[in-house]
Amino acid sequence: MFKSIFKTNGEKKTEIVEKIETFLAEQQAEFIWSLIQFESEKTPEQVTKVILPFKFKALEAFIRQNFKQIKIEYQLQLASLNKPHQNKLATIKHVVAIASGKGGVGKSTTTVNLARALAKSGAQVGVLDADIYGPSIPLMFGLQGEQPDTLDGKIMQPLKTDEGIKCNSIGFLVDPNEAAIWRGPMASRALTQLFNETEWGELDYLLIDLPPGTGDIQLTLTQSLPLSGALVVTTPQNIALADAKKAIAMFNKVDIEVVGLIENMSVHICSQCGHVEHIFGCDGGRQLAENEGVQVLGFTPLDINLREIMDNGDSAGFYDASFYKSYQLIGLKLAKELYCLAQARPASQTISITQLD
Ligand code: ADP
């Protein structure tokens, strides 16, 4: 591997190195640069293989288009789960809990759209909707009224969205009015079962939409699920930030890494004139992240088109909208953080490799 040679000697930068740097800068994804490796068989100038840390279809397509002879490989990915799990039908590299101190801040919206962005980047993605107070993922994915099949009355086959995202939800299985009044132990048991008894198969990422709040249910769940880390979703106003702070404290208490904070509804973009306004205040998420020692993974705007897409349960228009870019970037940042976590964690549950050429 000759990457260090390229980096220390500007004159020796090959065309592929330069072009990838420019591509990443255009995508605002420079943070991935240090994770890419270049291999050459003879001299550093003759790159023969590029090794990418995780799925990034756009970069892969770019390399293939511009450098047909160069091989692309994905690096060995270790699972970074904090404990082994009992689901023998699942090989999952990263399980991520998505939490919010408060309901209505866009936790489910963020879960669904992050899953979309990760799937679009080429990853295998699953979503587990554990929000017993309002399981809205089936509606958002347009899967309302459907039910997972079971082969033996126990193991469930997750539903699949048009984008290939595997999904299971407490909303498919029980009357939401009933689930919302479950006591803590019952809710945690049911949700852990939902994780364990779904045939997730091979996944790069399983995103778990937790119930909002920081009570008994959330605490037990975060302790019983095999997590790589957690994301906290908030909106910028003080009243939501105070609860987001509690969510961060909850994860700290149970030793689960908060991989990032996402500020939703950061700015409002007027659908008529494009005017940008900080309806819920400015910089709240950034300030909270700074105070709590976590990083902001990204910002997503308050946009009427986004609300319509979610409520209609149809992704038409999503990938062409300007807000998709925000989710794409957050997805890449999340992938990077999880990759780095997996590298840093000695204990891993599974090993697998994806090779393209
Ligand atoms: P939570 O899971 O935190 O309870 P949801 O994701 O269900 O919140 O979102 C609550 C409502 O707000 C939904 O109708 C959703 O479509 C809408 N919403 C969420 N985020 C946005 C956004 N950035 N722009 C517009 N509407 C949004």
Side-chain angles (χ1 to χ4, degrees), residues 100 102-110 131 134 136 140 209-210 212 233 264-266 300-308 310-311 327:
S100 68
K102 216 174 188 47
V105 297
K107 174 178 51 61
S108 305
T109 302
T110 305
D131 188 350
S136 45
M140 291 176 171
D209 188 15
L210 288 184
V233 180
N264 186 31
M265 308 190 196
S266 282
T300 44
L302 173 63
D303 191 307
I304 188 169
N305 296 319
L306 179 54
R307 205 270 305 144
E308 281 171 2
M310 304 321 290
D311 283 0
Y327 290 108

PDB file of all heavy atoms in Angstrom, residues 100 102-110 131 134 136 140 209-210 212 233 264-266 300-308 310-311 327, ligand 1:
ATOM      1  N   SER A 100     -35.015   9.540  20.547  1.00  0.00           N
ATOM      2  CA  SER A 100     -35.249  10.972  20.771  1.00  0.00           C
ATOM      3  C   SER A 100     -35.841  11.075  22.158  1.00  0.00           C
ATOM      4  O   SER A 100     -36.522  10.161  22.607  1.00  0.00           O
ATOM      5  CB  SER A 100     -36.216  11.542  19.744  1.00  0.00           C
ATOM      6  OG  SER A 100     -37.497  10.999  19.949  1.00  0.00           O
ATOM      7  N   LYS A 102     -38.009  13.165  22.919  1.00  0.00           N
ATOM      8  CA  LYS A 102     -39.373  13.654  22.724  1.00  0.00           C
ATOM      9  C   LYS A 102     -40.011  13.039  21.483  1.00  0.00           C
ATOM     10  O   LYS A 102     -39.313  12.778  20.506  1.00  0.00           O
ATOM     11  CB  LYS A 102     -39.269  15.165  22.491  1.00  0.00           C
ATOM     12  CG  LYS A 102     -40.385  15.939  23.072  1.00  0.00           C
ATOM     13  CD  LYS A 102     -40.140  17.407  22.921  1.00  0.00           C
ATOM     14  CE  LYS A 102     -41.181  18.153  23.698  1.00  0.00           C
ATOM     15  NZ  LYS A 102     -41.360  17.625  25.055  1.00  0.00           N
ATOM     16  N   GLY A 103     -41.315  12.863  21.515  1.00  0.00           N
ATOM     17  CA  GLY A 103     -42.030  12.384  20.339  1.00  0.00           C
ATOM     18  C   GLY A 103     -42.263  13.536  19.361  1.00  0.00           C
ATOM     19  O   GLY A 103     -42.264  14.709  19.753  1.00  0.00           O
ATOM     20  N   GLY A 104     -42.420  13.215  18.098  1.00  0.00           N
ATOM     21  CA  GLY A 104     -42.793  14.227  17.110  1.00  0.00           C
ATOM     22  C   GLY A 104     -41.649  15.050  16.547  1.00  0.00           C
ATOM     23  O   GLY A 104     -41.868  15.993  15.796  1.00  0.00           O
ATOM     24  N   VAL A 105     -40.408  14.688  16.908  1.00  0.00           N
ATOM     25  CA  VAL A 105     -39.274  15.486  16.407  1.00  0.00           C
ATOM     26  C   VAL A 105     -38.760  14.979  15.057  1.00  0.00           C
ATOM     27  O   VAL A 105     -37.863  15.569  14.450  1.00  0.00           O
ATOM     28  CB  VAL A 105     -38.096  15.529  17.416  1.00  0.00           C
ATOM     29  CG1 VAL A 105     -38.509  16.205  18.709  1.00  0.00           C
ATOM     30  CG2 VAL A 105     -37.551  14.134  17.697  1.00  0.00           C
ATOM     31  N   GLY A 106     -39.331  13.848  14.606  1.00  0.00           N
ATOM     32  CA  GLY A 106     -38.918  13.318  13.304  1.00  0.00           C
ATOM     33  C   GLY A 106     -37.978  12.123  13.406  1.00  0.00           C
ATOM     34  O   GLY A 106     -37.212  11.851  12.489  1.00  0.00           O
ATOM     35  N   LYS A 107     -38.085  11.401  14.498  1.00  0.00           N
ATOM     36  CA  LYS A 107     -37.221  10.215  14.698  1.00  0.00           C
ATOM     37  C   LYS A 107     -37.519   9.154  13.633  1.00  0.00           C
ATOM     38  O   LYS A 107     -36.603   8.623  13.007  1.00  0.00           O
ATOM     39  CB  LYS A 107     -37.454   9.672  16.117  1.00  0.00           C
ATOM     40  CG  LYS A 107     -36.757   8.385  16.443  1.00  0.00           C
ATOM     41  CD  LYS A 107     -37.020   7.991  17.879  1.00  0.00           C
ATOM     42  CE  LYS A 107     -38.495   7.998  18.248  1.00  0.00           C
ATOM     43  NZ  LYS A 107     -39.326   7.052  17.472  1.00  0.00           N
ATOM     44  N   SER A 108     -38.798   8.861  13.409  1.00  0.00           N
ATOM     45  CA  SER A 108     -39.144   7.825  12.415  1.00  0.00           C
ATOM     46  C   SER A 108     -38.826   8.307  11.000  1.00  0.00           C
ATOM     47  O   SER A 108     -38.335   7.530  10.166  1.00  0.00           O
ATOM     48  CB  SER A 108     -40.629   7.474  12.502  1.00  0.00           C
ATOM     49  OG  SER A 108     -40.948   7.097  13.808  1.00  0.00           O
ATOM     50  N   THR A 109     -39.088   9.565  10.743  1.00  0.00           N
ATOM     51  CA  THR A 109     -38.765  10.140   9.433  1.00  0.00           C
ATOM     52  C   THR A 109     -37.277   9.984   9.155  1.00  0.00           C
ATOM     53  O   THR A 109     -36.863   9.579   8.071  1.00  0.00           O
ATOM     54  CB  THR A 109     -39.142  11.647   9.427  1.00  0.00           C
ATOM     55  OG1 THR A 109     -40.531  11.748   9.733  1.00  0.00           O
ATOM     56  CG2 THR A 109     -38.854  12.308   8.103  1.00  0.00           C
ATOM     57  N   THR A 110     -36.467  10.288  10.165  1.00  0.00           N
ATOM     58  CA  THR A 110     -35.020  10.183  10.019  1.00  0.00           C
ATOM     59  C   THR A 110     -34.611   8.728   9.803  1.00  0.00           C
ATOM     60  O   THR A 110     -33.768   8.431   8.949  1.00  0.00           O
ATOM     61  CB  THR A 110     -34.325  10.751  11.283  1.00  0.00           C
ATOM     62  OG1 THR A 110     -34.798  12.087  11.484  1.00  0.00           O
ATOM     63  CG2 THR A 110     -32.824  10.757  11.157  1.00  0.00           C
ATOM     64  N   ASP A 131     -41.233   1.413  17.987  1.00  0.00           N
ATOM     65  CA  ASP A 131     -41.944   2.513  18.647  1.00  0.00           C
ATOM     66  C   ASP A 131     -43.375   2.100  19.008  1.00  0.00           C
ATOM     67  O   ASP A 131     -44.315   2.290  18.233  1.00  0.00           O
ATOM     68  CB  ASP A 131     -41.957   3.743  17.725  1.00  0.00           C
ATOM     69  CG  ASP A 131     -42.515   4.967  18.434  1.00  0.00           C
ATOM     70  OD1 ASP A 131     -43.053   4.812  19.550  1.00  0.00           O
ATOM     71  OD2 ASP A 131     -42.419   6.070  17.873  1.00  0.00           O
ATOM     72  N   GLY A 134     -46.277   4.725  18.742  1.00  0.00           N
ATOM     73  CA  GLY A 134     -46.775   5.214  17.453  1.00  0.00           C
ATOM     74  C   GLY A 134     -45.955   4.604  16.341  1.00  0.00           C
ATOM     75  O   GLY A 134     -45.090   5.269  15.762  1.00  0.00           O
ATOM     76  N   SER A 136     -45.005   4.204  13.170  1.00  0.00           N
ATOM     77  CA  SER A 136     -45.383   4.863  11.915  1.00  0.00           C
ATOM     78  C   SER A 136     -44.563   4.403  10.713  1.00  0.00           C
ATOM     79  O   SER A 136     -44.801   4.821   9.594  1.00  0.00           O
ATOM     80  CB  SER A 136     -45.268   6.378  12.085  1.00  0.00           C
ATOM     81  OG  SER A 136     -44.062   6.696  12.725  1.00  0.00           O
ATOM     82  N   MET A 140     -44.968   5.004   6.599  1.00  0.00           N
ATOM     83  CA  MET A 140     -43.946   5.773   5.870  1.00  0.00           C
ATOM     84  C   MET A 140     -43.336   4.974   4.722  1.00  0.00           C
ATOM     85  O   MET A 140     -42.938   5.537   3.714  1.00  0.00           O
ATOM     86  CB  MET A 140     -42.844   6.238   6.836  1.00  0.00           C
ATOM     87  CG  MET A 140     -43.339   7.291   7.810  1.00  0.00           C
ATOM     88  SD  MET A 140     -42.071   7.745   9.002  1.00  0.00           S
ATOM     89  CE  MET A 140     -42.860   9.146   9.798  1.00  0.00           C
ATOM     90  N   ASP A 209     -35.892   1.946  15.354  1.00  0.00           N
ATOM     91  CA  ASP A 209     -36.636   3.146  15.745  1.00  0.00           C
ATOM     92  C   ASP A 209     -37.187   2.907  17.147  1.00  0.00           C
ATOM     93  O   ASP A 209     -38.171   2.198  17.333  1.00  0.00           O
ATOM     94  CB  ASP A 209     -37.771   3.354  14.726  1.00  0.00           C
ATOM     95  CG  ASP A 209     -38.495   4.677  14.928  1.00  0.00           C
ATOM     96  OD1 ASP A 209     -37.970   5.540  15.646  1.00  0.00           O
ATOM     97  OD2 ASP A 209     -39.596   4.829  14.367  1.00  0.00           O
ATOM     98  N   LEU A 210     -36.528   3.492  18.146  1.00  0.00           N
ATOM     99  CA  LEU A 210     -36.933   3.271  19.545  1.00  0.00           C
ATOM    100  C   LEU A 210     -38.166   4.087  19.901  1.00  0.00           C
ATOM    101  O   LEU A 210     -38.424   5.122  19.277  1.00  0.00           O
ATOM    102  CB  LEU A 210     -35.805   3.712  20.483  1.00  0.00           C
ATOM    103  CG  LEU A 210     -34.536   2.878  20.585  1.00  0.00           C
ATOM    104  CD1 LEU A 210     -33.639   3.481  21.661  1.00  0.00           C
ATOM    105  CD2 LEU A 210     -34.831   1.427  20.905  1.00  0.00           C
ATOM    106  N   PRO A 212     -40.040   6.982  21.773  1.00  0.00           N
ATOM    107  CA  PRO A 212     -39.460   8.233  22.306  1.00  0.00           C
ATOM    108  C   PRO A 212     -39.427   8.198  23.829  1.00  0.00           C
ATOM    109  O   PRO A 212     -40.235   7.519  24.455  1.00  0.00           O
ATOM    110  CB  PRO A 212     -40.437   9.304  21.809  1.00  0.00           C
ATOM    111  CG  PRO A 212     -41.720   8.589  21.565  1.00  0.00           C
ATOM    112  CD  PRO A 212     -41.359   7.192  21.169  1.00  0.00           C
ATOM    113  N   VAL A 233     -32.060  12.007  17.709  1.00  0.00           N
ATOM    114  CA  VAL A 233     -32.687  12.992  16.822  1.00  0.00           C
ATOM    115  C   VAL A 233     -33.344  14.069  17.688  1.00  0.00           C
ATOM    116  O   VAL A 233     -34.013  13.765  18.673  1.00  0.00           O
ATOM    117  CB  VAL A 233     -33.765  12.330  15.923  1.00  0.00           C
ATOM    118  CG1 VAL A 233     -34.408  13.353  14.996  1.00  0.00           C
ATOM    119  CG2 VAL A 233     -33.158  11.192  15.114  1.00  0.00           C
ATOM    120  N   ASN A 264     -33.171  17.768  13.219  1.00  0.00           N
ATOM    121  CA  ASN A 264     -34.224  17.773  12.195  1.00  0.00           C
ATOM    122  C   ASN A 264     -34.984  19.097  12.275  1.00  0.00           C
ATOM    123  O   ASN A 264     -35.007  19.739  13.317  1.00  0.00           O
ATOM    124  CB  ASN A 264     -35.163  16.589  12.446  1.00  0.00           C
ATOM    125  CG  ASN A 264     -36.205  16.437  11.351  1.00  0.00           C
ATOM    126  OD1 ASN A 264     -35.966  16.763  10.180  1.00  0.00           O
ATOM    127  ND2 ASN A 264     -37.382  15.951  11.710  1.00  0.00           N
ATOM    128  N   MET A 265     -35.582  19.481  11.194  1.00  0.00           N
ATOM    129  CA  MET A 265     -36.348  20.733  11.110  1.00  0.00           C
ATOM    130  C   MET A 265     -35.449  21.932  11.442  1.00  0.00           C
ATOM    131  O   MET A 265     -35.871  22.890  12.087  1.00  0.00           O
ATOM    132  CB  MET A 265     -37.574  20.705  12.023  1.00  0.00           C
ATOM    133  CG  MET A 265     -38.445  19.460  11.821  1.00  0.00           C
ATOM    134  SD  MET A 265     -40.012  19.577  12.667  1.00  0.00           S
ATOM    135  CE  MET A 265     -40.558  17.861  12.648  1.00  0.00           C
ATOM    136  N   SER A 266     -34.203  21.826  11.023  1.00  0.00           N
ATOM    137  CA  SER A 266     -33.211  22.870  11.306  1.00  0.00           C
ATOM    138  C   SER A 266     -33.627  24.211  10.754  1.00  0.00           C
ATOM    139  O   SER A 266     -33.536  25.232  11.424  1.00  0.00           O
ATOM    140  CB  SER A 266     -31.880  22.510  10.660  1.00  0.00           C
ATOM    141  OG  SER A 266     -31.233  21.573  11.414  1.00  0.00           O
ATOM    142  N   THR A 300     -31.320  18.340   8.923  1.00  0.00           N
ATOM    143  CA  THR A 300     -32.313  18.124   7.865  1.00  0.00           C
ATOM    144  C   THR A 300     -33.369  19.222   7.959  1.00  0.00           C
ATOM    145  O   THR A 300     -33.755  19.621   9.063  1.00  0.00           O
ATOM    146  CB  THR A 300     -32.955  16.724   7.984  1.00  0.00           C
ATOM    147  OG1 THR A 300     -33.274  16.470   9.358  1.00  0.00           O
ATOM    148  CG2 THR A 300     -32.011  15.636   7.524  1.00  0.00           C
ATOM    149  N   PRO A 301     -33.815  19.736   6.828  1.00  0.00           N
ATOM    150  CA  PRO A 301     -34.718  20.886   6.842  1.00  0.00           C
ATOM    151  C   PRO A 301     -36.180  20.501   7.105  1.00  0.00           C
ATOM    152  O   PRO A 301     -36.569  19.336   6.932  1.00  0.00           O
ATOM    153  CB  PRO A 301     -34.581  21.440   5.420  1.00  0.00           C
ATOM    154  CG  PRO A 301     -34.270  20.243   4.597  1.00  0.00           C
ATOM    155  CD  PRO A 301     -33.466  19.320   5.462  1.00  0.00           C
ATOM    156  N   LEU A 302     -36.951  21.488   7.523  1.00  0.00           N
ATOM    157  CA  LEU A 302     -38.406  21.327   7.639  1.00  0.00           C
ATOM    158  C   LEU A 302     -38.963  21.668   6.258  1.00  0.00           C
ATOM    159  O   LEU A 302     -38.809  22.793   5.786  1.00  0.00           O
ATOM    160  CB  LEU A 302     -38.935  22.304   8.692  1.00  0.00           C
ATOM    161  CG  LEU A 302     -40.442  22.430   8.869  1.00  0.00           C
ATOM    162  CD1 LEU A 302     -41.051  21.124   9.342  1.00  0.00           C
ATOM    163  CD2 LEU A 302     -40.770  23.532   9.872  1.00  0.00           C
ATOM    164  N   ASP A 303     -39.571  20.681   5.637  1.00  0.00           N
ATOM    165  CA  ASP A 303     -39.964  20.875   4.245  1.00  0.00           C
ATOM    166  C   ASP A 303     -41.307  20.212   4.003  1.00  0.00           C
ATOM    167  O   ASP A 303     -41.483  19.025   4.311  1.00  0.00           O
ATOM    168  CB  ASP A 303     -38.880  20.256   3.348  1.00  0.00           C
ATOM    169  CG  ASP A 303     -39.045  20.613   1.885  1.00  0.00           C
ATOM    170  OD1 ASP A 303     -40.150  20.401   1.365  1.00  0.00           O
ATOM    171  OD2 ASP A 303     -38.061  21.088   1.285  1.00  0.00           O
ATOM    172  N   ILE A 304     -42.228  20.947   3.449  1.00  0.00           N
ATOM    173  CA  ILE A 304     -43.581  20.414   3.247  1.00  0.00           C
ATOM    174  C   ILE A 304     -43.572  19.194   2.316  1.00  0.00           C
ATOM    175  O   ILE A 304     -44.335  18.241   2.505  1.00  0.00           O
ATOM    176  CB  ILE A 304     -44.542  21.514   2.731  1.00  0.00           C
ATOM    177  CG1 ILE A 304     -45.982  20.993   2.722  1.00  0.00           C
ATOM    178  CG2 ILE A 304     -44.138  22.052   1.366  1.00  0.00           C
ATOM    179  CD1 ILE A 304     -47.024  22.053   2.490  1.00  0.00           C
ATOM    180  N   ASN A 305     -42.671  19.197   1.352  1.00  0.00           N
ATOM    181  CA  ASN A 305     -42.605  18.046   0.434  1.00  0.00           C
ATOM    182  C   ASN A 305     -42.151  16.781   1.153  1.00  0.00           C
ATOM    183  O   ASN A 305     -42.609  15.685   0.847  1.00  0.00           O
ATOM    184  CB  ASN A 305     -41.644  18.333  -0.732  1.00  0.00           C
ATOM    185  CG  ASN A 305     -42.155  19.478  -1.576  1.00  0.00           C
ATOM    186  OD1 ASN A 305     -43.354  19.570  -1.838  1.00  0.00           O
ATOM    187  ND2 ASN A 305     -41.265  20.365  -1.967  1.00  0.00           N
ATOM    188  N   LEU A 306     -41.285  16.981   2.127  1.00  0.00           N
ATOM    189  CA  LEU A 306     -40.816  15.837   2.909  1.00  0.00           C
ATOM    190  C   LEU A 306     -41.979  15.276   3.730  1.00  0.00           C
ATOM    191  O   LEU A 306     -42.201  14.060   3.782  1.00  0.00           O
ATOM    192  CB  LEU A 306     -39.662  16.261   3.814  1.00  0.00           C
ATOM    193  CG  LEU A 306     -39.056  15.207   4.734  1.00  0.00           C
ATOM    194  CD1 LEU A 306     -38.614  13.970   3.968  1.00  0.00           C
ATOM    195  CD2 LEU A 306     -37.856  15.772   5.486  1.00  0.00           C
ATOM    196  N   ARG A 307     -42.735  16.153   4.334  1.00  0.00           N
ATOM    197  CA  ARG A 307     -43.884  15.718   5.130  1.00  0.00           C
ATOM    198  C   ARG A 307     -44.867  14.937   4.254  1.00  0.00           C
ATOM    199  O   ARG A 307     -45.371  13.875   4.629  1.00  0.00           O
ATOM    200  CB  ARG A 307     -44.562  16.945   5.758  1.00  0.00           C
ATOM    201  CG  ARG A 307     -45.350  16.677   7.012  1.00  0.00           C
ATOM    202  CD  ARG A 307     -46.805  16.322   6.746  1.00  0.00           C
ATOM    203  NE  ARG A 307     -47.483  17.332   5.945  1.00  0.00           N
ATOM    204  CZ  ARG A 307     -48.396  17.064   5.047  1.00  0.00           C
ATOM    205  NH1 ARG A 307     -48.771  15.832   4.794  1.00  0.00           N
ATOM    206  NH2 ARG A 307     -48.959  18.034   4.356  1.00  0.00           N
ATOM    207  N   GLU A 308     -45.081  15.434   3.053  1.00  0.00           N
ATOM    208  CA  GLU A 308     -46.025  14.753   2.152  1.00  0.00           C
ATOM    209  C   GLU A 308     -45.516  13.380   1.732  1.00  0.00           C
ATOM    210  O   GLU A 308     -46.269  12.404   1.714  1.00  0.00           O
ATOM    211  CB  GLU A 308     -46.289  15.622   0.913  1.00  0.00           C
ATOM    212  CG  GLU A 308     -47.282  16.727   1.237  1.00  0.00           C
ATOM    213  CD  GLU A 308     -47.424  17.770   0.127  1.00  0.00           C
ATOM    214  OE1 GLU A 308     -46.775  17.631  -0.930  1.00  0.00           O
ATOM    215  OE2 GLU A 308     -48.172  18.729   0.355  1.00  0.00           O
ATOM    216  N   MET A 310     -43.564  11.445   3.397  1.00  0.00           N
ATOM    217  CA  MET A 310     -43.657  10.520   4.525  1.00  0.00           C
ATOM    218  C   MET A 310     -45.100  10.101   4.758  1.00  0.00           C
ATOM    219  O   MET A 310     -45.396   8.930   4.967  1.00  0.00           O
ATOM    220  CB  MET A 310     -43.093  11.155   5.815  1.00  0.00           C
ATOM    221  CG  MET A 310     -41.675  11.659   5.755  1.00  0.00           C
ATOM    222  SD  MET A 310     -40.515  10.653   4.821  1.00  0.00           S
ATOM    223  CE  MET A 310     -40.353   9.214   5.863  1.00  0.00           C
ATOM    224  N   ASP A 311     -45.996  11.057   4.731  1.00  0.00           N
ATOM    225  CA  ASP A 311     -47.405  10.743   4.999  1.00  0.00           C
ATOM    226  C   ASP A 311     -48.036   9.896   3.890  1.00  0.00           C
ATOM    227  O   ASP A 311     -48.952   9.110   4.145  1.00  0.00           O
ATOM    228  CB  ASP A 311     -48.216  12.029   5.186  1.00  0.00           C
ATOM    229  CG  ASP A 311     -47.985  12.635   6.563  1.00  0.00           C
ATOM    230  OD1 ASP A 311     -47.207  12.048   7.336  1.00  0.00           O
ATOM    231  OD2 ASP A 311     -48.579  13.690   6.867  1.00  0.00           O
ATOM    232  N   TYR A 327     -29.674  13.637   3.826  1.00  0.00           N
ATOM    233  CA  TYR A 327     -29.703  12.256   4.324  1.00  0.00           C
ATOM    234  C   TYR A 327     -28.520  11.451   3.786  1.00  0.00           C
ATOM    235  O   TYR A 327     -27.959  10.608   4.484  1.00  0.00           O
ATOM    236  CB  TYR A 327     -31.026  11.585   3.948  1.00  0.00           C
ATOM    237  CG  TYR A 327     -32.188  12.149   4.728  1.00  0.00           C
ATOM    238  CD1 TYR A 327     -33.138  12.966   4.122  1.00  0.00           C
ATOM    239  CD2 TYR A 327     -32.329  11.884   6.088  1.00  0.00           C
ATOM    240  CE1 TYR A 327     -34.194  13.499   4.837  1.00  0.00           C
ATOM    241  CE2 TYR A 327     -33.385  12.417   6.821  1.00  0.00           C
ATOM    242  CZ  TYR A 327     -34.315  13.215   6.185  1.00  0.00           C
ATOM    243  OH  TYR A 327     -35.353  13.740   6.912  1.00  0.00           O
TER     244      TYR A 327
HETATM  245  P1  ADP B   1     -41.298  10.953  15.699  1.00  0.00           P
HETATM  246  O1  ADP B   1     -40.893   9.626  15.175  1.00  0.00           O
HETATM  247  O2  ADP B   1     -40.193  11.690  16.362  1.00  0.00           O
HETATM  248  O3  ADP B   1     -42.512  10.891  16.566  1.00  0.00           O
HETATM  249  P2  ADP B   1     -42.130  11.482  12.993  1.00  0.00           P
HETATM  250  O4  ADP B   1     -40.952  11.082  12.196  1.00  0.00           O
HETATM  251  O5  ADP B   1     -43.292  10.517  13.085  1.00  0.00           O
HETATM  252  O6  ADP B   1     -41.686  11.887  14.456  1.00  0.00           O
HETATM  253  O7  ADP B   1     -42.609  12.887  12.447  1.00  0.00           O
HETATM  254  C1  ADP B   1     -43.746  13.543  12.953  1.00  0.00           C
HETATM  255  C2  ADP B   1     -44.421  14.310  11.822  1.00  0.00           C
HETATM  256  O8  ADP B   1     -43.563  15.350  11.383  1.00  0.00           O
HETATM  257  C3  ADP B   1     -44.727  13.448  10.594  1.00  0.00           C
HETATM  258  O9  ADP B   1     -45.935  13.868  10.024  1.00  0.00           O
HETATM  259  C4  ADP B   1     -43.580  13.751   9.644  1.00  0.00           C
HETATM  260  O10 ADP B   1     -43.964  13.605   8.298  1.00  0.00           O
HETATM  261  C5  ADP B   1     -43.296  15.201   9.983  1.00  0.00           C
HETATM  262  N1  ADP B   1     -41.885  15.548   9.777  1.00  0.00           N
HETATM  263  C6  ADP B   1     -40.818  15.008  10.385  1.00  0.00           C
HETATM  264  N2  ADP B   1     -39.678  15.596   9.965  1.00  0.00           N
HETATM  265  C7  ADP B   1     -40.051  16.515   9.047  1.00  0.00           C
HETATM  266  C8  ADP B   1     -39.338  17.465   8.234  1.00  0.00           C
HETATM  267  N3  ADP B   1     -38.016  17.569   8.310  1.00  0.00           N
HETATM  268  N4  ADP B   1     -40.061  18.252   7.400  1.00  0.00           N
HETATM  269  C9  ADP B   1     -41.408  18.165   7.347  1.00  0.00           C
HETATM  270  N5  ADP B   1     -42.124  17.317   8.086  1.00  0.00           N
HETATM  271  C10 ADP B   1     -41.463  16.503   8.924  1.00  0.00           C
END
